[in-house]
Amino acid sequence: MPNRLAGETSPYLRQHAANPVDWYPWGEEALAAARSSGKPILLSVGYSACHWCHVMAHESFENPRIAQVMNDLFVNVKVDREERPDIDQVYQLAQQMLTQRAGGWPLTMFLTPDQAPFFGGTYFPDSARYGMPGFEEVLKRVRGYYDANRGEVSAFGARIVEAFERIGPLAPTDSAGASEDELLEAAENELAAAFDGVNGGFRGAPKFPHSETIEFSLRRFAATGDRTSLGRATLTLRRMAMGGIYDQVGGGFSRYSVDAEWAIPHFEKMLYDNGWLLRLYADAWCVTREPLFEKVVRETAAWAMREMQSPEGGYYSSLDADSEGEEGRFYVWDADEVRGLLSNDEYEVASRAFGLDRAPNFEGKHWHLVLAAPLGEIAHELVIDEGTAATLLDSARHKLFEARARRVRPGLDDKVLTSWNALMIAGMARAARVFGRDDWLASARSALDFIRAKLWNGGRLLATYKDGRAHLDAYLDDHAFLLAALLEMMQADFRGEDIAWAREIADALLARFEDRAEGGFFFTAHDHESLIHRPKPGPDNATPSGNGVAALALNRLAFLTGDPRYAESARRTVALFMPSMQQRPSSLCTLLMAMAEQEEPPGTLIVRGAASDFGPWRELLDEAYLPATMTLFVPATAAGLPEPLAKPLAQEAQAWVCEGMTCLAPIGNVEELRAALPSLTMPGFSPSTPSLEGANP
């Protein structure tokens, strides 16, 4: 008999709709059932692409005996962490308090009927192994302890809730602390100390992209010319692109690598990673002109449009790690299978390029493809020219792609999340601008239009959409990331309605999320459902800090609109987190970048005139890496512009270079602007920089 999850929008919740567990979605019905029955709550949090979530579901939630124990002893609540990141944040933190261990998914928490946590963990096996007790035993022991120690459990839960009140931005101290420049340098030093100089990223395994540190390092190079910072960023991007965390056949990145060499991923592909990385690879190409970076951008954009964009325009959320019940089955190969698909010449090149001439790298019997050798080296070994080797490898990759497409595909989580869409919109718009790709720009515009049509309702933003239904009030990240995406889109394709919508989003941020007393933004709106804790997150995570992105975007919007409220809100946000940045600056890279733009106001480069005249100006500017400068091409037809953008029109297009609210005299031709740029406060300007690194694979 189906439980209560069949009508939910979350594909993850729907995966559990036929479980023998009497699941509730999070909500008043579940909480009321716990209060009336006196049963504790078993809270299970996961997401549809999560391999170990599937394992626990198959082992325990589909097991009638274990399900009956769950139903007898608990009110069982299932949560999709992607639709309810507010709940996930709170109870991940509680799990870390209770166990002194890092959290993860599946998250398994036991709560009192008033939502206070008293025991928890992550994955539990169905029977005792891995040094862990079986889940059925855990269920009985937890309920037995709860029944025998109600007073102690209540007191302990109260202490946990009380501890939440002490979590958040650090309080100011009387000491002066480091200056802004010293904080940026301290973050550099922390990143350098943890850096893996061979493989890129941080030392050890598992290995995550940590995109915020890559972006911080690229921006530090632009600001200071420090090639060490650039080297950290480009080595990481290069090694990821060569590794198995990158899909060498179909494009796009998996969530993380289980090893230190980026070779074997946890195969789920998340929209948010790929949106952020798309922008970073485009930026890195602007600085280095490395062909490998362009290849990654081209293939990842193609993957996003081919596999992740709905006919309605929005981008889907994720692809599963599993297919046919096995992790990675869709992606891995047997050498004989590959040999049978390719010509002899293709196999000679592909086997060396993808590591098929080496021992199996996946579970001792399969191959997951990596870039194992440079093409030049392969061509030399086979006594062919490099162009021929490249042609053979491209042909081989195409045949592998066609063969793989006939396999059973991983599951697709086809809900559309506002925050993750915003990250992909920003990435696609930036890549489109750099490489002059109208199709990528159209993809980003289609997704942005979808968000406005389906998830912007009466001046309120919603968080998730599926099958014609949008719901759940949006969170801080939805608003902040969307505002940043609008600023990126305006630089790729300026439209007056975008800046008007950006102001509406910014006003909603200030009205509904800002802490007017202390500064900064809560993760949930003022009228959101009350949970046992209301986070105000500052550190970056798998996605950038919502407070950091809000501070960056609001500060920039202030200079486009002339509205000082936005800059003041951004300033108060950075000030709130300054003590936290003093303690561990590298964990708050996005806020550090916001701080840097407040210390030295962002530049604005405005080209105004007939849109038909913009071509030469774009050729100069769109491939330049100017991370602290907004570049806007404002057509003569644009109306209702805020004063900073309403530059006077002339016979031909003109450019204004502004720092903060101060603009230089208009520049009337492209060559004059080219000559002026290096002397302006725009470090890192590089319209035609050759590769700064060694040979590429």
Side-chain angles (χ1 to χ4, degrees):
M1 179 178 178
N3 53 47
R4 299 166 183 80
L5 303 183
E8 294 296 307
T9 57
S10 162
Y12 174 66
L13 296 189
R14 291 184 183 184
Q15 288 172 4
H16 294 271
N19 290 169
V21 178
D22 186 17
W23 290 115
Y24 289 81
W26 181 276
E28 182 52 35
E29 183 183 5
L31 300 176
R35 290 192 297 266
S36 63
S37 68
K39 292 181 180 180
I41 296 167
L42 192 167
L43 174 66
S44 176
V45 183
Y47 59 103
S48 70
C50 166
H51 170 69
W52 286 103
C53 299
H54 299 325
V55 172
M56 190 166 179
H58 296 324
E59 290 179 348
S60 294
F61 304 150
E62 295 171 7
N63 182 318
R65 187 188 75 255
I66 295 177
Q68 189 61 54
V69 176
M70 293 172 66
N71 295 338
D72 290 344
L73 302 183
F74 299 94
V75 172
N76 303 291
V77 178
K78 177 61 75 173
V79 164
D80 181 343
R81 66 105 171 176
E82 296 169 359
E83 285 197 341
R84 294 302 304 262
D86 54 334
I87 295 170
D88 184 55
Q89 281 190 43
V90 168
Y91 291 107
Q92 289 285 352
L93 188 56
Q95 193 274 154
Q96 292 171 39
M97 289 181 182
L98 289 168
T99 67
Q100 300 299 302
R101 294 179 181 176
W105 301 279
L107 178 68
T108 307
M109 295 297 294
F110 296 90
L111 320 178
T112 65
D114 58 0
Q115 308 173 42
F118 64 92
F119 183 76
T122 51
Y123 162 78
F124 289 99
D126 56 339
S127 58
R129 59 183 181 278
Y130 312 131
M132 293 185 287
F135 191 49
E136 184 175 355
E137 179 187 355
V138 170
L139 295 170
K140 292 175 179 177
R141 289 173 61 182
V142 168
R143 180 58 196 268
Y145 180 82
Y146 177 81
D147 289 341
N149 301 276
R150 293 285 182 98
E152 185 177 330
V153 167
S154 295
F156 182 73
R159 290 197 298 274
I160 292 288
V161 173
E162 193 177 299
F164 276 127
E165 299 303 316
R166 299 190 292 272
I167 294 173
L170 296 178
T173 63
D174 293 333
S175 59
S179 68
E180 284 81 357
D181 287 344
E182 289 169 337
L183 279 178
L184 296 170
E185 186 67 28
E188 281 279 307
N189 293 337
E190 288 180 1
L191 296 177
F195 186 66
D196 181 341
V198 175
N199 301 299
F202 295 144
R203 287 190 293 272
K207 209 156 203 168
F208 291 81
H210 287 290
S211 297
E212 75 284 355
T213 68
I214 301 171
E215 182 166 3
F216 177 81
S217 295
L218 286 173
R219 287 175 66 114
R220 285 293 288 167
F221 165 71
T224 67
D226 181 1
R227 292 169 67 94
T228 303
S229 299
L230 176 65
R232 280 202 306 273
T234 54
L235 177 63
T236 302
L237 292 170
R238 191 178 305 114
R239 293 302 182 192
M240 286 172 57
M242 294 168 61
I245 191 174
Y246 182 69
D247 183 349
Q248 302 295 339
V249 172
F253 289 86
S254 296
R255 190 164 75 94
Y256 67 90
S257 169
V258 301
D259 57 84
E261 292 78 36
W262 305 108
I264 304 300
H266 189 42
F267 288 88
E268 63 201 36
K269 286 183 177 178
M270 315 302 292
L271 185 70
Y272 59 79
D273 284 319
N274 286 280
W276 201 351
L277 287 168
L278 189 61
R279 180 164 58 85
L280 293 179
Y281 274 92
D283 285 345
W285 180 86
C286 289
V287 177
T288 67
R289 297 303 195 261
E290 284 203 27
L292 179 62
F293 296 164
E294 180 179 3
K295 171 182 175 291
V296 167
V297 172
R298 185 175 67 250
E299 293 173 355
T300 301
W303 165 79
M305 294 170 64
R306 180 183 67 242
E307 299 187 28
M308 302 303 288
Q309 191 155 28
S310 76
E312 294 180 278
Y315 297 108
Y316 299 134
S317 294
S318 63
L319 289 172
D320 209 322
D322 297 10
S323 56
E324 299 183 82
E326 295 181 24
E327 184 180 12
R329 184 182 179 104
F330 180 76
Y331 297 99
V332 300
W333 299 88
D334 295 326
D336 289 342
E337 177 189 9
V338 175
R339 189 186 297 274
L341 292 167
L342 306 181
S343 71
N344 288 337
D345 288 344
E346 289 167 341
Y347 186 79
E348 286 295 308
V349 174
S351 62
R352 290 167 170 80
F354 291 141
L356 294 164
D357 60 340
R358 305 178 183 184
N361 63 357
F362 185 72
E363 297 182 345
K365 55 186 177 180
H366 303 296
W367 281 263
H368 181 54
L369 305 187
V370 300
L371 285 183
L375 268 180
E377 179 182 305
I378 295 169
H380 178 76
E381 181 180 342
L382 296 175
V383 196
I384 58 177
D385 64 82
E386 192 167 336
T388 299
T391 299
L392 289 167
L393 184 60
D394 285 344
S395 175
R397 183 185 284 111
H398 178 73
K399 288 181 179 180
L400 294 178
F401 177 82
E402 293 295 321
R404 196 177 76 175
R406 295 190 288 271
R407 297 177 177 177
V408 176
R409 297 188 62 81
L412 170 69
D413 188 322
D414 60 351
K415 69 178 179 293
V416 175
L417 296 170
T418 299
S419 60
W420 296 8
N421 267 253
L423 290 172
M424 181 55 78
I425 290 165
M428 197 72 82
R430 173 60 176 152
R433 182 157 60 108
V434 169
F435 293 103
R437 290 290 297 262
D438 291 341
D439 53 340
W440 299 351
L441 181 60
S443 172
R445 174 62 67 184
S446 179
L448 187 64
D449 289 346
F450 174 87
I451 297 297
R452 186 162 192 174
K454 303 295 186 180
L455 288 145
W456 178 248
N457 185 7
R460 290 177 78 95
L461 192 62
L462 299 175
T464 184
Y465 173 95
K466 184 177 176 357
D467 297 336
R469 180 186 171 201
H471 72 130
L472 299 178
D473 283 344
Y475 307 98
L476 167 62
D477 288 0
D478 299 291
H479 290 78
F481 297 177
L482 182 57
L483 178 57
L486 281 164
L487 293 177
E488 193 66 62
M489 181 63 83
M490 280 187 264
Q491 297 179 78
D493 176 31
F494 185 89
R495 296 187 184 182
E497 59 263 33
D498 287 343
I499 196 162
W501 191 23
R503 297 187 75 160
E504 291 183 83
I505 297 294
D507 290 344
L509 259 176
L510 269 59
R512 302 187 60 230
F513 292 85
E514 187 177 22
D515 183 342
R516 292 299 303 166
E518 302 292 338
F521 297 91
F522 293 105
F523 187 73
T524 54
H526 299 321
D527 57 353
H528 191 80
E529 169 194 1
S530 293
L531 301 174
I532 60 171
H533 177 54
R534 191 181 181 198
K536 193 191 288 183
D540 297 296
N541 210 304
T543 54
S545 160
N547 269 285
V549 174
L552 267 169
L554 287 168
N555 193 54
R556 290 185 163 211
L557 186 64
F559 292 106
L560 299 186
T561 63
D563 191 332
R565 294 179 303 136
Y566 304 142
E568 174 59 19
S569 178
R571 185 199 65 75
R572 284 160 43 81
T573 300
V574 168
L576 173 72
F577 288 98
M578 187 63 77
S580 299
M581 288 188 276
Q582 298 276 357
Q583 184 177 82
R584 184 69 189 278
S586 64
S587 67
L588 296 99
C589 282
T590 305
L591 276 158
L592 284 175
M593 291 184 275
M595 178 196 73
E597 288 202 4
Q598 291 178 21
E599 181 70 9
E600 187 170 329
T604 310
L605 203 159
I606 302 162
V607 180
R608 187 90 201 275
S612 58
D613 293 340
F614 288 161
W617 302 86
R618 280 200 175 277
E619 287 179 19
L620 171 67
L621 295 171
D622 279 353
E623 293 183 3
Y625 181 53
L626 300 169
T629 298
M630 292 174 287
T631 304
L632 296 103
F633 294 83
V634 183
T637 54
L641 296 170
E643 185 177 345
L645 300 183
K647 303 302 183 187
L649 293 167
Q651 287 292 106
E652 296 181 346
Q654 297 185 105
W656 283 259
V657 176
C658 311
E659 184 174 354
M661 294 295 185
T662 303
C663 299
L664 302 180
I667 295 173
N669 63 74
V670 173
E671 291 309 313
E672 185 181 349
L673 178 60
R674 186 190 302 275
L677 278 171
S679 64
L680 299 174
T681 55
M682 295 182 179
F685 177 69
S686 52
S688 57
T689 307
S691 174
L692 299 177
E693 304 296 334
N696 300 305

